[in-house]
Amino acid sequence: MKALLAPLALALSLITQPAFAERTDRQQPVNIEADHMTVDDRNKVHVFEGNVILTQGSLLIKGDKLVVTQDAAGFQNGVATASGNKLATFRQKRQATGEYVDGEAERIEYDSRNEKARLFNRARVTSGGDEVRGAYIEYDAISENYLATNAPGSKPAVGSDTRVRAVIQPKSEGKAASQQ
């Protein structure tokens, strides 16, 4: 199985021209809206519940619950979850193309220091017309590389297909040449 994942990861890393996430996002304030908030200031843990919306520049994360922790250097880590059949979502603008990367999963973990999103269970990430699905997807906003797998700790629904799926749209020659 691992032998099959390496070529897929390589193929996914090559499907788009380099176009990094908005560099100014990191310098923007984090804004969070929710129905309810609990703060543990000593441990730097904030829990937001009910129709949670987090924005930081072009980054948008939505879920039913969001737990945000802050490390000593001031970087935030967030875990967004949804309840019932709903999924947590994220969206972030790509700098060079102006397109957005969209993702959804039962649980999304976002690491602001490394600008990585990890999506668990029923995970899907789209960029342009391309789409990746799996039980687990890791998206690196800096390099715009994806890793998709059915890793331990990620559980596909009983009876569901456990294979990773990708749809890669053809790129027109004129568009590809203009981006080089």
Side-chain angles (χ1 to χ4, degrees):
M1 182 68 169
K2 286 185 179 182
L4 294 175
L5 294 177
L8 177 61
L10 177 62
L12 292 175
S13 70
L14 298 174
I15 62 176
T16 59
Q17 296 295 323
F20 302 107
E22 284 286 322
R23 297 281 43 108
T24 59
D25 285 355
R26 173 176 262 182
Q27 290 127 18
Q28 301 297 315
V30 175
N31 297 294
I32 304 172
E33 297 177 25
D35 295 336
H36 179 77
M37 175 180 77
T38 305
V39 176
D40 177 350
D41 229 2
R42 180 178 295 171
N43 295 311
K44 303 290 185 208
V45 177
H46 299 75
V47 179
F48 301 88
E49 295 179 280
N51 194 30
V52 181
I53 302 169
L54 176 146
T55 57
Q56 183 180 25
S58 74
L59 175 65
L60 173 68
I61 298 175
K62 293 183 178 182
D64 291 330
K65 182 176 181 180
L66 176 66
V67 178
V68 178
T69 57
Q70 184 172 331
D71 66 18
F75 290 100
Q76 291 88 21
N77 291 312
V79 178
T81 55
S83 58
N85 244 0
K86 297 188 326 184
L87 299 173
T89 65
F90 87 91
R91 175 173 240 224
Q92 189 167 32
K93 189 175 183 181
R94 296 172 56 200
Q95 182 148 332
T97 66
E99 293 177 345
Y100 284 85
V101 174
D102 292 286
E104 63 183 14
E106 291 178 16
R107 183 174 89 238
I108 298 174
E109 297 177 0
Y110 189 79
D111 173 357
S112 70
R113 176 187 298 266
N114 298 312
E115 295 186 44
K116 288 186 180 180
R118 298 178 348 158
L119 295 82
F120 296 86
N121 303 325
R122 296 191 291 154
R124 179 178 66 89
V125 174
T126 60
S127 178
D130 300 337
E131 176 179 88
V132 178
R133 289 180 181 263
Y136 172 81
I137 299 173
E138 183 172 292
Y139 171 67
D140 184 324
I142 295 170
S143 67
E144 291 194 346
N145 287 326
Y146 299 83
L147 167 68
T149 186
N150 289 311
S154 298
K155 298 175 187 149
V158 174
S160 71
D161 186 358
T162 59
R163 295 175 54 88
V164 171
R165 304 275 183 209
V167 176
I168 303 169
Q169 298 296 327
K171 307 296 185 228
S172 68
E173 289 183 30
K175 184 177 178 181
S178 68
Q179 291 179 344
Q180 292 180 353

